[in-house]
Amino acid sequence: MSESVNVREATLADLDELIDVHTQARLAYYGAGGLASESIVNPTLEREQRTGWAAAIGSPRKRVLCAVVEGRIVGIAAMGPPLSSEVDAGTVGQLYQIHVIPGSWRKGIGSRLHALFVRYLKEISLPTGVLEVWERNSRARAFYTRHGWKPDGESREGPDNSQYIGMRLELMAHRAASSTSPQQEG
């Protein structure tokens, strides 16, 4: 990567930029999956994003990170306890989302944010990570697969007769794979 990337905790002052990054990423992957832009960007969804990001930033149990290049947020990640009460929060942490603006794809920013999620799991002594990815987002599915994630058989309804697919990362398996292969960029 040629640009210097600084990753830091998000603050409420970052809210507008977080929403912008989230929206740009959503337009790219949902658009590539066939959804119309009006179902991706509208005032109701923007209010929901603002409320959700503000709550995540303010939560003592969640972590929101910003990847910053030349003073501009180009990537974001959010993580914390599992959203499902059926998942053991004593052994599992959830990667809620990673988003990178399309102009910054393939520069290692997503991989860096992912590595910080893995570090987060280690810091709080959790052996497993879970996430959901939209089935039509082949780019994200390939990214997570390269980083050691495997489908876990879970799914839930998504937009336009699609599914969100559950994936799982076992840290012991991730460590073994990382030590035998070069780091992939995302």
Side-chain angles (χ1 to χ4, degrees):
M1 177 185 331
S2 59
E3 301 168 299
S4 177
V5 178
N6 176 43
V7 179
R8 62 171 174 75
E9 295 268 344
T11 69
L12 289 175
D14 298 319
L15 209 46
D16 288 336
E17 280 188 275
L18 292 175
I19 292 167
D20 182 55
V21 169
H22 189 187
T23 299
Q24 286 186 56
R26 286 171 50 89
L27 282 166
Y29 68 80
Y30 279 132
L35 292 185
S37 62
E38 58 273 3
S39 67
I40 304 165
V41 180
N42 62 57
T44 300
L45 287 174
E46 185 175 334
R47 278 191 301 278
E48 290 172 4
Q49 285 177 307
R50 184 169 296 283
T51 300
W53 282 110
I57 290 168
S59 172
R61 300 190 62 211
K62 296 179 180 177
R63 188 173 295 171
V64 179
L65 303 174
C66 301
V68 181
V69 173
E70 297 179 0
R72 183 171 159 240
I73 297 174
V74 297
I76 53 180
M79 59 206 73
L83 296 175
S84 171
S85 61
E86 296 176 17
V87 177
D88 179 6
T91 61
V92 177
Q94 185 160 347
L95 178 56
Y96 304 130
Q97 48 198 323
I98 290 179
H99 299 292
V100 176
I101 60 171
S104 292
W105 287 350
R106 303 294 307 163
K107 295 182 179 181
I109 295 166
S111 291
R112 179 135 178 229
L113 292 168
H114 181 269
L116 291 170
F117 171 71
V118 171
R119 182 189 301 168
Y120 162 79
L121 291 177
K122 291 175 185 175
E123 285 174 5
I124 59 174
S125 301
L126 298 176
T128 305
V130 295
L131 62 78
E132 290 183 333
V133 62
W134 189 42
E135 70 181 346
R136 294 185 197 168
N137 190 345
S138 57
R139 181 179 183 79
R141 289 176 56 203
F143 171 85
Y144 291 121
T145 298
R146 283 193 313 270
H147 286 286
W149 294 80
K150 297 187 179 351
D152 65 7
E154 298 293 322
S155 65
R156 69 176 174 91
E157 188 175 322
D160 196 33
N161 297 313
S162 65
Q163 295 287 308
Y164 288 104
I165 299 168
M167 296 185 84
R168 180 173 292 266
L169 177 71
E170 299 295 342
L171 282 192
M172 292 305 290
H174 175 66
R175 284 184 198 129
S178 295
S179 66
T180 60
S181 66
Q183 179 72 13
Q184 300 284 326
E185 290 194 1

